[in-house]
Each structure stands twice: as structure tokens, then as C-alpha cells.
Amino acid sequence: MSEPRVLINGRMDDRIAVADRGLAYGDGVFRTIRCEAGRLLAWQRHYAKLQADCAALGLACPAEEAWLADLAELAPVDAAIKLTVTRGRSARGYAVDPAASVTRISQTGPLPPYADALREQGVTVRLCSTVLGIQPALAGLKHLNRLEQVLARREWSDPAIFDGLMCNPRGEVVEGVMTNLFIVEGDRLLTHPLADCGVAGVVRSMLLEAAATLGLRQELTSFDTQRLLAADAVLLSNSLAGIVPVACLGERRWQNFTLAQQLRTAVVLQSLKESLPCTAA
């Protein structure tokens, strides 16, 4: 699949109204899902998170059956799937029209060309100067306003850099531009609690579950760059790349990726176990 295919409210189209609040204000949420061999990996988790994020913004989440009908029509095989909900059309101004109907957007496109070597040999990351703003009301949500990530991603053009790490104003390293972040200290796995900023990814939750089965103690706690650099291992996760070990950050090098591979195996198996065929509708 080389070209994206898009359904808007169940109709094949790639245009939304100028008055749509998703365009005007970033008023909406989205999920990104990996589809392999026609199966939606970890579907129920993704849909549950979409429901939760919609509820946090006071949006009516479209029914699961509507999304599955969209995906059955799009019929992806190996694809990156993006599901978007906006608050829909409204008159000018920030006030929300309670009668507005949400816009449902289902989109499929090619999977990013992540090489397996990245997962086996580790990736290079950098620290971004762009910081994440503190906003507890939006913490954990995958909302449509990604300007902080856009600004951060503009900081580098080197294709050898897989992702940039972002801090909050307190100097705590929260996450990557497109990934969640974990560090390992002995038998402890640490990740930021995301109480006031950041995105709570589905693979993040699965990784934490897998860590418990491997005997790792999980800690939702903040840490700074000094502690990050002193860690025994650093991991990244998202729905398309899965779990990726970090090999290089500046002058710091990491070489032992055994734990990352074990976690990745566990998460892949669980994702397949919780998958759903796109033809389910």
C-alpha cells in the first residue's frame, strides 16, 4: 500500500470542512494502530484508549462497529492505521456547540520502514530544546494539537537520529517526540507518570505488564537527564515501531539489549493475542 486511503464519516473522501474544530483548534483525539496481515494489533486496548481520550475532552466516541465497518471497507493488510475524532463543525469561536456532531476519520497508509536492525542494534536519539508544556487536563491524551512535537522534530534533519527526547519545564525527561520512554536501573523499570504532560501510549501499558512477568519492578517516577545517562538501559515504544532499545545519546553508549528483546517478544505475542481481523465487521 503506497497511498493513504481515507474515510470521513464512512464515506471515501480526504477533505474536511474549514469549520471543523479539529482543523481550527486541534479539538479532537487520535490513535495510531499497526495492522499486520489484515489484523489490528491490540485493537481492544486502542479502542478503549480512544474512548477514554474522547471522554476526557467531552467528545462522543463513535461506536466500535462504525470503526470496524470503516476498516473492513478499507481492507488494510500491512498498514499504519490512524483513527481520528474531532468535535465536528461549529461557528467561529472557542465555545462548544452542544449540538455539533463529531467527525470520524479512518485512514490507512504504509507502515514506516523501520528495519529489524534498529530493534536488534539499538537506535540513536538526541535531547530536544523544545519543552513539553504542563497541562494536567490534557496529560496522557493523544490530542490533535501536536505543535510541541512539530517544533521538536524541526530541531534535526539527520536521518540517523531515530527520535528526540523531550523534557518538561522542571527538567524531567518525559518522552520522545513520537515515543514513550523507559529507563532500566538494575531490576527496576522507570517511566514518567505523565500526570501533567505526555502521551500514555497503548504499547507503554503493554510493556509495563510484560515487565512484571519478567520480574522487573515498575516505577512511575520522574527522572532527569543525568539519571537517564546513568541508566543500565533505555527503551522507547510506540504502536508502529514496537519496543526499540537506545544505543546512543551523545557520548553515552548502551550495548546490552537482551531485556529489550525479551520485552518486545512478550509485547508482540500479547498484541497478536489481542488482535482483531479487519474483516470482523
Side-chain angles (χ1 to χ4, degrees):
M1 177 181 296
S2 58
E3 293 295 330
R5 301 179 67 217
V6 185
L7 289 173
I8 299 179
N9 294 326
R11 301 182 65 177
M12 197 69 71
D13 201 349
D14 61 358
R15 296 166 295 178
I16 64 170
V18 172
D20 194 285
R21 291 177 64 92
L23 172 64
Y25 307 119
D27 190 358
V29 297
F30 72 101
R31 303 299 311 161
T32 305
I33 304 171
R34 187 178 180 95
C35 180
E36 289 186 1
R39 299 191 69 86
L40 308 168
L41 301 188
W43 165 256
Q44 289 298 337
R45 292 182 190 245
H46 280 289
Y47 182 64
K49 187 65 171 68
L50 186 67
Q51 287 180 305
D53 286 3
C54 281
L57 293 185
L59 298 170
C61 185
E64 181 179 15
E65 292 77 11
W67 293 114
L68 293 178
D70 284 355
L71 294 173
E73 181 172 348
L74 293 171
V77 179
D78 295 314
I81 293 173
K82 185 176 182 180
L83 307 181
T84 303
V85 182
T86 82
R87 203 176 298 274
R89 302 186 190 191
S90 74
R92 183 182 180 279
Y94 294 126
V96 173
D97 179 357
S101 298
V102 298
T103 301
R104 180 182 87 249
I105 305 172
S106 302
Q107 179 176 346
T108 65
L111 287 168
Y114 298 135
D116 287 339
L118 293 181
R119 303 181 183 96
E120 298 172 1
Q121 301 173 11
V123 298
T124 297
V125 297
R126 73 187 301 276
L127 290 171
C128 295
S129 59
T130 304
V131 299
L132 292 167
I134 299 297
Q135 178 45 271
L138 297 176
L141 308 186
K142 204 164 190 178
H143 54 78
L144 293 179
N145 193 324
R146 315 312 301 166
L147 284 178
E148 292 171 340
Q149 286 74 19
V150 170
L151 292 175
R153 185 59 184 85
R154 291 184 67 237
E155 293 182 23
W156 80 91
S157 58
D158 183 353
I161 296 175
F162 179 76
D163 203 5
L165 306 183
M166 301 182 70
C167 297
N168 61 23
R170 295 189 292 267
E172 301 163 356
V173 193
V174 177
E175 61 187 3
V177 173
M178 63 174 184
T179 57
N180 283 127
L181 170 69
F182 305 81
I183 65 172
V184 179
E185 297 178 341
D187 64 350
R188 295 184 300 167
L189 181 73
L190 284 64
T191 191
H192 197 276
L194 308 181
D196 49 24
C197 63
V199 175
V202 163
V203 175
R204 173 181 183 268
S205 68
M206 299 182 78
L207 191 154
L208 289 171
E209 292 175 12
T213 67
L214 294 176
L216 290 172
R217 292 185 292 155
Q218 308 156 45
E219 294 186 21
L220 302 182
T221 188
S222 59
F223 47 86
D224 59 15
T225 55
Q226 184 175 358
R227 192 170 181 182
L228 167 70
L229 292 170
D232 297 320
V234 178
L235 312 174
L236 303 174
S237 72
N238 71 22
S239 292
L240 297 184
I243 297 171
V244 180
V246 173
C248 176
L249 171 56
E251 298 300 317
R252 180 68 163 97
R253 300 289 188 273
W254 290 271
Q255 295 180 331
N256 187 348
F257 306 142
T258 301
L259 177 61
Q261 293 164 354
Q262 292 173 335
L263 289 168
R264 178 173 180 266
T265 297
V267 168
V268 166
L269 290 174
Q270 191 62 28
S271 295
L272 290 170
K273 183 179 178 180
E274 298 179 13
S275 67
L276 190 73
C278 289
T279 56

